[in-house]
Each structure stands twice: as C-alpha cells, then as structure tokens.
Amino acid sequence: MDDLRELYQATILDHNRDPRNFGALETANRSARGDNPVCGDKLVVYLEIDDDDRVTDVRFDGKGCAISTASASLMTEFVKGRKRQEIDETFEQFHELVTGNPGEKVDGEGLGKLAVFSGVREYPVRVKCATLCWHTLRSAMSGGDEVVRTES
Amino acid sequence: MSAAPQHAAPLDVQAVRKDFPILSDSFHGKPLVYFDTAASSQKPQVVIDALVDFYSHGYANIHRGLYALSVGATRSFEEARDKVRGFLNAADEREIVFVRNATEAINLVAMSWGRQEVGAGDEIVISAMEHHANIVPWQQLCAEKGAVLRVTPVDDRGELELDAYESLLSDRTKLVAITHVSNALGTINPAKQLVESAHAKGIPVLLDGAQAVPHMSVDVRDLDCDFYVFSGHKLFAPSGIGALYGKLGVLETMPPFMTGGEMIESVTFEKTTFKAPPGRFEAGTPDIAGAIGLGVAIDYLQELGMDAIAAWEHELLAYATARFEEIPGLRIIGTAREKAGVLSFVLDCAHPHDVATILDQEGVAVRAGHHCAQPIMDRFDVPATTRASLSLYNTREEVDVLVAAIGKVTELFG
C-alpha cells in the first residue's frame, strides 16, 4: 500500500475526485483533442490565449484514469496566466520527472504541485496517462486541429 | 459430441497448477495470480518441453527433405494438423489450415473467399460484440467492394438480439461472421442456432472461436459452420500458431491468400499452379515448432477433458460472480445467461487503469482497457473495463485474492 501511496498521492486523489477547471470553455480561441487508444481515454483542452501568447483561461473535459484526470487538472491550474515559453519549459521538466529512471530519486524542484507525479516514473506504462494532457495542451497552443494520440 | 476421449473425473486444479511453471513465480513479492488468460494463456511444461525437444533433436524443414530428420519433422507437423482436426471434430485433415492466429485466419477468409464472393451492394453480418479482428477485415473488404457491413445488436445483458439477427439476414447477405464467445463480455453465443438460420437462407457462416476453444468442446460438424478460426496462444500453445477450419468444398473454391514457396504445384515464368488445400494456403515455411506445440497442448487438454475444464470454470465463474456482487460500487459488464469465464467490470470509484495498477501490486494480472472491442464498450457506455478472465488453472483462493485487491482500490479511492 505504501508503494501505491507514492503513486497516488493525496493531491492526485483530490484532483481526481474533484477536477479543477473541468468542462468546456465558452470563450476558448484554441482547443485540441487527445486520445490514448490503449486505454480509451479521451480529453479536450480548451484555451483562451491573448495576443501576447499568454494563457488567460483554460479548461479541460473528458474521461480518464486518476493519473490522467489529476494531471490535466493540475496542469490547468499551473498554466493559467503563464506564457507559452514558460509552459514549454515546465513541460520539459515535467516530462523528465515522469520519464526518468525508475528508482532514481527526484525532487521536482521548480514544478510546484506538479511534483506530485514523481511516483509515475516507477510505472512506465502509466507515463502516457500523465503526459497526454500536456501533449494536447501544446497541440492546442500551436493551433491544433489534429487529434493527439499517445501511440503515434 | 467431440471425438476426443473425455474423462468423467473432475478437474484436479492443484495438479493442473503444477503443470504450469510460471504459476510458482512471484511479482512485486506476491505470488502470481494470473487472470488474463483471455488475452493469452500460460503454457504447461509439456508444451515447453515439446518445443525444446523439437528444436534440440527433431528440427528440419518440412515437406521437402529426403532425409530422416525432415521426414520426421513433416510427420510431426502433419500429426499436429490431425490433432487439430480431431479437437474440432472436423471430417478431414485437409480442412485444417495452419495460420499465425485467429486474426490471420479471418484475414485469409476475407482476402481469399471474400474478394471472390463479395460484390457491390452485398452485405456481411457481424455483431456488436466482435473483437476488432472480426470487424476490421470485413470493413476493409466492404470498402474495397462497395459492400455493406451490418451489425447484430446486443442487449443489456450482453446477449445477441436474435430477432434483429434474423431480420438482418437477406438475399443480399453474403456471409455471417460472428464470435462464438465474446472476449469482452464472456457471452457464449448460440452458434448452432445462428448457423441454422443463416444456412436456411443459403448464407455461409464464419465463427470466431478464439475465446471458445479454451473453455468448451467444439464440434464443427455439429455446428455445421463453414469456417471456424482460433489462436493457439489462447489455447496453452505457443504464440504464432493458429488454425483455420474450412469445409473442404469451400476451401477448394478459394484462391490463394499469400503466394510463394510450399503452396505451389509447378512454377514456370508463364504460369503457376497451386496445391490443393490446405497447402494452397500455407505459403513459405510455417511455424513448424508452434504447430507441434499446439498438437501437444491439445493432447494435454483432451487428457484433462474439455468437459471437466468447462465444469470447473463454470463453478469458478459462479463463485467469482457471487463474490463480485458483494462489492459495493462494482458493476459487472456482461451478464449473459450462457457465459464463459470472463468477468468484465467497472468500479464507481476508480478507472480500470488505476484498478489494474493496484491489482498488479498485489500480484494479480488482469486486463484493463477496451479489449480490442471498442464498439461493445460504446454499447455499454464505458470507455474501458477491467477484465478478469478465468481459466483451468485458477482457484477460488485466487478469486479471494482478487476480491481483497479490489478492496484496496476502494480503500484508496473510495
């Protein structure tokens, strides 16, 4: 059970039960869809971006596992108010956090609450659950008509 | 019904477990509890030994060598074909074509028989509970020919709607392709009745037996189906081998599927003539060892007795179903009256992927996802399920471990 609590930290369980910024965003000027064909997870990320490339509002919708739902929820909290470059840099760090070598300790410094996903690296088959929303977000930011697929 | 010798003795599951070396292994410090046989079965020692023996002392290419080793390998390969014939109670070993798996067998029928027989405006009838392997080849054929795919609906229990099936059969219907047992729901379809209805209108039937053959005795002459397909890897045999049964009269009308060596009578640059079935459909060197392993797996199952296996699995399914019904917030997907050992379920509190991760920590291997049957997931309005599939080597104690592990999921997520 202790191992599982490393993966399913309280913050993750909380955001799974009560996802923030959940549902469609009427004022969105960008959106993208992400699919994980392996598990059937689907999600949509809605963005409102200003001329300055700053995310002024963001919401997500869809069905997924706890890791995927919590990741999307925490991501929306993180990116709101931030500029694209900063978001890209954070994604790089986040990606490193969840895909690093299992067994290697990481502090996730600079990632704030997103560091709760540090346990994911111990479960390589679950990495895509944590990253699907980020790939979808980035697709939406770059115009994103294409559906993001974790398997492509 | 089956020609196979059946023992009246009930299955000695503890003895069976000793035949499967992997069942003594541990994962995450817990003994393996393998509930994913519907995805692929574990292998008994006799099958593993047969592969080692063949590669150590019996290996040569078949159907061509004039030396003792090749003659022996050919004999073993053809004996395996005859074992498959006996297992399905087919009349003639020429009706058994070795393929890689059920998927390849269906593709063979679609590309050979289908391309020859199906034209614009024709219809192919499948069902809503098909595995993608029995949807996509027909969809592709229909797209190529301008034919139409018709889908037999499934009711809330996961049973075929037979009235709807009957009304889908028309003079436009060229083929019925339906699963014998559903991999996602466990439903055992009334195959004989489905064939009878189709034949009454002159329509041939392909049955996908991938999930049926490991659980019950199958008699293709009694079913009277025109094609029957299965995979060896779900039947305790090596992966990479499977079989297509086709009525000889039908196979004889079919053009080759793949061409090359082994399947020809004579080749000149002007013209090639092809062997009679089954050779016509077996281009190139096949999975010789796999076929021999499949024969050994069939011997193993027949020694245990398919009826004894079916009886044990039935008992275990009833036990597991009753235990599952005690779990609050758990819904079983697929509650057909005739059901094989598949328990597909969803929990209110947790997604199937989270369930599978937590179960894995307890040593319990299950499948989570859409089970290559997305349309039936849509039918039940779930994106995915967790599936525990039961087999001849599973026990009540393992069901208890599974139920306790589901308890950990509810503890964490509830």
Side-chain angles (χ1 to χ4, degrees), chain B residues 47-347:
Chain B
V47 168
I48 299 164
D49 287 348
L51 295 183
V52 173
D53 286 353
F54 179 64
Y55 279 127
S56 304
H57 304 293
Y59 187 78
N61 212 331
I62 53 168
H63 293 149
R64 57 191 87 175
L66 293 172
Y67 47 93
L69 196 55
S70 172
V71 172
T74 305
R75 192 190 309 120
S76 302
F77 183 78
E78 291 302 327
E79 276 170 8
R81 191 191 307 278
D82 195 53
K83 287 175 186 179
V84 175
R85 182 207 59 74
F87 185 62
L88 297 178
N89 197 30
D92 192 313
E93 73 274 4
R94 290 174 295 170
E95 298 180 312
I96 306 300
V97 180
F98 280 123
V99 290
R100 282 189 302 152
N101 44 39
T103 298
E104 186 173 87
I106 295 170
N107 276 275
L108 190 164
V109 176
M111 290 183 197
S112 167
W113 185 90
R115 276 184 178 156
Q116 180 170 270
E117 304 292 333
V118 176
D122 288 343
E123 296 182 354
I124 294 171
V125 171
I126 61 168
S127 88
M129 67 171 85
E130 298 310 311
H131 187 283
H132 295 164
N134 202 27
I135 301 174
V136 186
W138 307 119
Q139 209 166 40
Q140 292 293 103
L141 179 67
C142 287
E144 183 185 315
K145 296 289 187 175
V148 182
L149 196 63
R150 304 297 300 268
V151 183
T152 309
V154 165
D155 69 15
D156 290 341
R157 283 184 302 234
E159 295 182 7
L160 289 179
E161 292 186 18
L162 295 173
D163 290 346
Y165 169 73
E166 296 285 343
S167 60
L168 281 174
L169 303 176
S170 75
D171 53 7
R172 291 183 303 279
T173 314
K174 275 288 172 328
L175 179 76
V176 169
I178 270 183
T179 193
H180 194 173
V181 172
S182 157
N183 72 310
L185 306 173
T187 311
I188 302 174
N189 285 322
K192 194 172 173 177
Q193 188 186 339
L194 299 174
V195 174
E196 263 170 23
S197 301
H199 282 183
K201 294 181 176 166
I203 304 160
V205 178
L206 177 144
L207 293 175
D208 174 359
Q211 296 292 342
V213 288
H215 304 295
M216 58 175 87
S217 64
V218 169
D219 181 333
V220 291
R221 274 190 282 177
D222 181 54
L223 291 169
D224 198 30
C225 55
D226 302 271
F227 299 105
Y228 198 93
V229 308
F230 73 87
S231 296
H233 73 91
K234 294 189 202 289
L235 194 71
F236 314 98
S239 55
I241 191 74
L244 162 69
Y245 159 81
K247 283 183 177 168
L248 191 59
V250 182
L251 289 179
E252 280 170 342
T253 66
M254 287 164 51
F257 164 50
M258 288 192 284
T259 54
E262 196 90 347
M263 50 77 71
I264 49 83
E265 265 175 2
S266 75
V267 178
T268 65
F269 286 115
E270 288 69 40
K271 186 176 166 58
T272 294
T273 56
F274 305 115
K275 275 185 183 168
R280 183 186 302 170
F281 304 106
E282 294 179 352
T285 298
D287 183 355
I288 308 168
I292 291 168
L294 174 58
V296 172
I298 286 172
D299 286 343
Y300 176 76
L301 291 171
Q302 291 190 323
E303 208 163 298
L304 296 175
M306 289 311 297
D307 292 345
I309 291 167
W312 170 245
E313 289 181 8
H314 193 76
E315 200 178 317
L316 199 58
L317 177 66
Y319 178 71
T321 305
R323 293 290 329 259
F324 270 36
E325 281 167 354
E326 293 164 8
I327 302 171
L330 183 148
R331 178 162 68 106
I332 296 174
I333 306 292
T335 50
R337 287 161 295 183
E338 294 292 324
K339 211 180 140 176
V342 168
L343 278 163
S344 241
F345 64 96
V346 290
L347 286 175

Side-chain angles (χ1 to χ4, degrees), chain A residues 1 3-5 7-8 13 16-17 37-41 63-67 123 126 129, chain B residues 349 351 353-355 357-358 361-362 368-370 374 381-384 408 411-414:
Chain A
M1 213 59 176
D3 286 351
L4 286 169
R5 293 206 190 275
L7 176 64
Y8 295 109
L13 293 174
N16 175 50
R17 210 168 291 139
V38 174
C39 54
D41 285 0
K63 276 181 183 170
C65 64
I67 303 297
Y123 301 82
R126 305 301 301 276
C129 310
Chain B
C349 66
H351 185 280
H353 261 199
D354 298 313
V355 177
T357 293
I358 294 165
Q361 294 300 305
E362 300 299 314
H370 52 59
Q374 279 175 331
D381 198 26
V382 291
K408 298 220 164 165
E411 193 185 319
L412 197 61
F413 281 83

